[in-house]
Amino acid sequence: MAETATLWAPRSAWAGIAQAGQIGAAGPAGVTATLLDGFGLATLIAAPGGAPALSQAVEGRLGIALPATPKIVSGVSHDAIWSGPDQWLLRAATRDGFSGLLEALSAQAAVSDQSDARAAMRLSGPRVREVLAKGVMLDLHPAAFAVGDTALTSVAYIGVHLWRLADGPDGSVFEIMVARSMVGSFWSWFAASAAEFGCQVSIDRSTGRG
Amino acid sequence: MSTQPFRLASGGLIDRGQQLDFSFDGASYRGYAGDTLASALLANGVRLVGRSFKYHRPRGILSAGPEEPNALVELRSGARREPNTRATVVELFGGLTAASQNRWPSLAFDLLSINGLVSPALVAGFYYKTFMWPASFWEKLYEPLIRRAAGLGRAAGTEDPDHYEKAFAFCDLLVIGGGPAGLSAALAAGRSGARVILCDEDFRLGGRLLAEKREIGGKPASEWLAATLAELASLPEVRIMPRTTVFGLYDHGIYGAVERVADHLPQPPAHLPRQRGWRIQAKRAILAAGALERPIVFAGNDRPGVMLAGAVRSYVNRHGVLPGRETVLFTAGDDGWRTARDIAAAGGKVAAIVDSRPADPARKALADKLGARLFAGGAVMGARGGRQLNGVTIRDASGAVSELSCDLLAVSNGWNPTLHLTSHQNGKPAWDDGLQCFVPGTVPAGLAVAGSAAGRLTLAQALEDGARLGSEAAVETGFATKLAEPVPATDPETNGLSPVWRVSGGRGKAFVDYQNDVTDKDVELAAREGFRPVEHLKRYTTLGMATDQGKTSNLSGLAIMAEQTGRTIPQTGTTTFRPPYTPVAIGALAGHHRGKDFRPIRLAPTHDWSKEQGAVFVEAGQWLRAQYYPRPGEADWLTTVNREVKAVRAGVGLCDVSTLGKIDIQGADAAEFLERVYINGWKALPIGKARYGLMLREDGFVMDDGTTSRLGETHFLMTTTTANAGKVMQHLEFCHQVLWPELDIRMVSVSEQWAQVAIAGPKARETLRGVVDAEYDLSNEAFPYLAARPVTVGGGIPARLFRISFSGELAYELAVPADYGDAMMRALMQAGAPLGITPYGTEALGVMRIEKGHVAGNELNGQTTARDLGLGRMVSSKKDFIGRLMAGRQALVEQDRPAFVGFKPVEPGQRLRAGAHFIGIGKPAAMEHDEGYMTSVAYSPHLDHWMGLGLIRGGAARIGERVRAYDPVRNGDIVVEICSPVFVDPEGARLHG
Amino acid sequence: MRITCPHCGARDAQEFSYLGAADLQRPEGMAASEAAMADYVYQRDNPAGVHRELWYHGAGCHAWLVVTRDTRSHAITAVEVAKARKAGAAA
């Protein structure tokens, strides 16, 4: 069995793409990127007229209601992220017990596990908006994109899902999620765009929530 | 090293402590920080900087700004060489190398200047007249000759080593131009808290304030400028972007701009781009781009040393350069007199002032004070000199002609508002008879025009407009402004312009468009030949069509045409300006997206494993897929592919198919939905089974195919081809949201979630047995052909197993969560090692599907119906579905419509080519004998000869017949036999093994 | 161009793809005639002026939208969710 376990080692979407360390300009990093790994993720789509029931079901289990507009609502261990009309991404800090949760929710929603489908990273630092402005076609000014706002958009011709978390010591904090197959091209764009300011890259393997 | 003989001892906005060495045409010179290349050349006495486009006339520096039509140089060298750069806007840096262009063999001695002597052959429309006959001469003789003779600079010819970026910005107010109007606007809006972006093309903010000696609030304008810039810098929501040209206005308040991040440096510093292309979304914008000065058309007006009067002031006041020892001023208004005054103040000599207006005592007194001869009511008829101006011919008010020597002729004929951006959205400029210039007419919503750009040419007006419009923009975007502070007073300013468009009677060519070498005679010729509307004038003469877009020439051309046709200027026409305002490098528009980043590339979860196996990759849609896996010693790709095919057919192989589109379809109406989008039936498909499906476009042609599996009563998993995944998703969303929103369908792409691999060959089951957890029975009975069920692998990892086959062999597709994709390949390789498992790529996949007569992208080419492809039996007649009616159109069901069959060479050794057309044997290779074409070919190692699939009239009814496969592109013309498209195992015995 | 998606807000037109006229009715069912279908598939007006047209927010929420746009000026006066048009449909 030990051999099987070794043979069947999972490989992160970030493997072979990015490593921990500083990229671009030396000195104090203008941007900090934390590569997220190990989270659970699923698409929930409500049946016609079924969004309230689904939201109640999720709230009953996880303490978070499903946002009706492009927002992220975060609970203790899970986030509900708007991803289209009557559609959400449910993110779990870990994959432990996630399939059971999805099974339970499948009575109220079309549930599709997407835990392996995305690469995600958290971005912060004094220059984070300047980096994102090189690809994100949205106004991320604090007055225009509030904490908890989310958007499906594209960066460098790559579809992304991004949202703003509570501010950190250096101001705005964003998370950005990209299709797994595109992460190489996405990283190429990101690394080139962040290089000017210097970027500290770290990897959070434990959870999707750091 | 030169001593900068034309540099003033003091004054100007240059740093004499910071010397910058540079070279022009191989000679070394020195300038100062704050110089442009043009000002540094002038300081060094370099007057001749280029040769003209058509006549190879010696040319110098006309302007001090972006409108420059003459001083175009090649900048830098090697891979960074950049042609057609305007020396007047190039910021000098140490080590800059520049070269003149369009001269041969040298700038001073240009053999092609003989073009000037044969110029009657090169007048307007000469292309159309001269080179008409014989037609064959055009390509071989005329065009190459013209290209050599008439040209601009040379592109680098190698890859640009620098990086470029795109960036997106959002603001309440975009201010275009950092002169007095723009700065006032930015300040007024910025003080309210509005988000303001101010862009200026110059490396130094201030606009004309840098070039003029003016007063604001009773103090030198420089003090106002410094205080304003300091306050703007203190406002957190104001962003000042120097070296940034706003080049275009697009729909809905989108502005294009290019920021020259590192053009002023020998090469970009580490991690910085050379340029950045900005897309700025502005709620409001103020165009404060100033005005461009207008030349006068007279003989020899292109001699190096003839310069716009305002440009002369720029060089004197901003750069501390006196561009001539002995100046003549030719002016049509008061503005030119500032040049005489500033030259005199700087210690220069003004020999004469030629003022086109009638005599005036005050002007006489001023001329006397300046020590200049005054020709009131006079005109400069001609300028003479070869490589440098050495004198002018002046006609005085009485008509008497005299000659005067000089080395600088400053020309002042009023200013044209820089209103270009107002016309980018179809806005039409309006003629202002009082100002004698075009001013903004219809202005796009959200844009306001301030100061000179609006035809409000005085400094006082600029300050007033800026403050007012800046406040208004702030209020309109939701910010409260304080009561406008009083606009500071300026020193008095008069205009008194009476423009002179052309002075006739001189000897030699008089240029209207310097860059394209269009003369007044060309405009007259166009008028005579009937090319009178301005758009005809432009195209016939090429006036205004050079890279300067006629900034200095459009109005003169219109004025001369007006004079020729007895109309006014507004009756003659206007010019509509298009983006970009000044040339923009393609790199700045492409940004990051070139080379490997030209577009996003998608990689399968098994990609690194394939790379490790030595795969050669091929682009398939957005994906890179393993094409084949060469082994040491294999001579060519065909050897490799043959080995892979044989290994699969004899044992077992594995091939990544993660790239196929996978769509999770759930909902009470999922089966009904599939009925409507596929041609075949779905309601009866049992849970745990897969079925091949074909979908049409509404016009009846095939859109895509793939297998769809029923995972539950209301749960299906659709697969699409790799290339069409996005298109199919969009189509299904259309069908659901637009056509049948009443259906309960819930769809999402799960393509990224699953790593999927095909395991094919007689030993596929045995291989899988070592990977799929033991509790799952994989026997033929328990897991038959087209079974599709969840399993687990590796001790409980959830997976899906499908028994489907593209190769015709016993085959499965195994899908695991993408994190386990890499492990799946390793586990299968380990389990299959004793069985000789072989990775195969898309090439072998293609060979095997052709051997089996399966259609793929080459056949699903948007021009084929299900019937054409031999899949007519799949079409359900019991239900409506997308494309049903149109597929039944007469033309699509004609008996002689080309239909799908196989082909094999009659001579077994002959190679087939996809794209070859079928023609009856003995018939000529002409369109009317075309019977169809070959869609796919491959070499079959199984049959040991080439085989092909294709579409031919009559299709399967003609099996056994022979036709020509005619391929003129590759000189192919062979005889092939029409055969069944299934070359291997027609009974399908292997599939069910 | 900018299109204001009712779900996502104002977005660059690059996020959308264009299909064409929005108000065509697909002839549904086995009884539909070939002629009606041919009209549906091929017959299009090409108005210089106000045009109701379908756009797909492919880079965003995947919604099909009905955009009312003046083809001469690109001025957009309304954007609706296509799915919400049919009576009885869940928006």
Side-chain angles (χ1 to χ4, degrees), chain B residues 67 69 292-295 297 416 419-420 423 429 431 438 501 511-514 516 518 523 534-535 537-539 541-546 548-562 569 572-578:
Chain B
E67 70 272 36
L292 297 173
E293 202 171 12
R294 319 187 287 213
V297 179
N416 286 331
L419 50 75
H420 300 64
S423 68
W431 179 253
F438 284 105
W501 302 118
F511 286 88
V512 179
D513 181 329
Y514 295 93
N516 263 354
V518 178
V523 179
V534 63
E535 297 302 333
L537 164 68
K538 200 173 156 172
R539 281 156 186 81
T541 63
T542 72
L543 187 147
M545 294 177 77
D548 71 344
Q549 293 281 292
K551 290 185 178 63
T552 57
S553 62
N554 283 333
L555 188 54
S556 316
L558 270 178
I560 295 170
M561 180 58 81
I569 288 173
T572 305
T574 60
T575 302
T576 307
F577 299 100
R578 303 280 178 217

Side-chain angles (χ1 to χ4, degrees), chain B residues 31 77 173 200 248 306 432 437 481 506 518 647 688 715 719 738-739 783 788 794 803 833 846 916 935 943 993:
Chain B
S77 58
L173 174 64
D200 192 284
V306 177
D432 186 313
C437 62
T481 51
V518 178
H715 189 180
T719 59
V738 179
L739 299 182
F783 208 93
R803 188 165 161 197
T935 52
L943 304 172

Side-chain angles (χ1 to χ4, degrees), chain B residues 794-864:
Chain B
I797 297 163
R800 288 169 176 170
L801 185 64
F802 308 87
R803 188 165 161 197
I804 50 183
S805 177
F806 202 40
S807 56
E809 298 299 324
L810 167 67
Y812 301 82
E813 289 186 11
L814 177 65
V816 295
D819 277 6
Y820 293 101
D822 185 83
M824 170 170 62
M825 300 309 262
R826 293 176 203 282
L828 285 166
M829 287 298 281
Q830 195 178 79
L835 310 168
I837 192 165
T838 300
Y840 66 99
T842 55
E843 217 46 67
L845 187 77
V847 171
M848 289 188 277
R849 74 100 186 164
I850 294 170
E851 286 180 332
K852 287 301 295 177
H854 290 311
V855 294
N858 289 9
E859 288 76 34
L860 310 181
N861 59 12
Q863 301 173 22
T864 49

Side-chain angles (χ1 to χ4, degrees), chain B residues 170 251-252 254 279 281 698-699 729-730 733-734 736-742 877-886 888-889, chain C residues 1-2 12 14 17 19 26 28-30 32-34 37-38 40-42 54 56 62-64 73-74 76 82-83 85-86 89:
Chain B
F170 296 79
D251 290 307
H252 304 159
I254 297 169
R279 189 188 312 203
Q281 174 73 45
E698 193 71 278
D699 65 5
M729 189 72 197
Q730 178 173 342
E733 295 279 18
F734 171 84
H736 175 214
Q737 297 177 33
V738 179
L739 299 182
W740 312 308
E742 67 280 5
S877 58
K878 300 190 186 79
K879 57 158 188 170
D880 189 26
F881 56 87
I882 297 283
R884 177 181 66 89
L885 278 170
M886 289 294 94
R889 280 181 282 175
Chain C
M1 285 206 325
R2 302 269 291 175
D12 195 280
Q14 197 179 305
S17 40
L19 185 69
R26 181 177 190 270
E28 296 281 352
M30 298 300 281
S33 74
E34 190 183 307
M37 186 58 85
Y40 169 75
V41 172
Y42 293 110
L54 286 165
Y56 176 62
H62 285 203
W64 278 93
S73 64
H74 295 180
I76 291 173
K83 196 180 174 186
R85 291 185 302 175
K86 260 197 187 176

Side-chain angles (χ1 to χ4, degrees), chain B residues 822-984:
Chain B
D822 185 83
M824 170 170 62
M825 300 309 262
R826 293 176 203 282
L828 285 166
M829 287 298 281
Q830 195 178 79
L835 310 168
I837 192 165
T838 300
Y840 66 99
T842 55
E843 217 46 67
L845 187 77
V847 171
M848 289 188 277
R849 74 100 186 164
I850 294 170
E851 286 180 332
K852 287 301 295 177
H854 290 311
V855 294
N858 289 9
E859 288 76 34
L860 310 181
N861 59 12
Q863 301 173 22
T864 49
T865 66
R867 196 175 161 275
D868 295 343
L869 299 176
L871 300 171
R873 280 164 307 159
M874 281 176 69
V875 180
S876 167
S877 58
K878 300 190 186 79
K879 57 158 188 170
D880 189 26
F881 56 87
I882 297 283
R884 177 181 66 89
L885 278 170
M886 289 294 94
R889 280 181 282 175
Q890 173 107 38
L892 299 189
V893 297
E894 294 277 6
Q895 276 311 312
D896 70 340
R897 215 182 130 74
F900 184 68
V901 281
F903 297 89
K904 55 188 181 190
V906 169
E907 297 285 332
Q910 284 180 318
R911 180 172 185 168
L912 303 185
R913 297 283 191 181
H917 277 249
F918 302 121
I919 292 162
I921 290 170
K923 289 189 180 153
M927 277 300 291
E928 61 266 34
H929 303 297
D930 186 15
E931 298 185 19
Y933 58 98
M934 195 91 82
T935 52
S936 301
V937 301
Y939 178 79
S940 169
H942 188 83
L943 304 172
D944 201 20
H945 64 70
W946 285 81
M947 61 189 168
L949 301 175
L951 299 156
I952 193 165
R953 283 185 200 287
R958 295 174 64 185
I959 285 175
E961 259 186 60
R962 292 177 174 192
V963 288
R964 281 170 75 187
Y966 180 62
D967 180 28
V969 179
R970 285 159 295 201
N971 295 323
D973 191 358
I974 62 170
V975 176
V976 294
E977 183 185 318
I978 303 172
C979 59
S980 158
V982 186
F983 293 90
V984 168

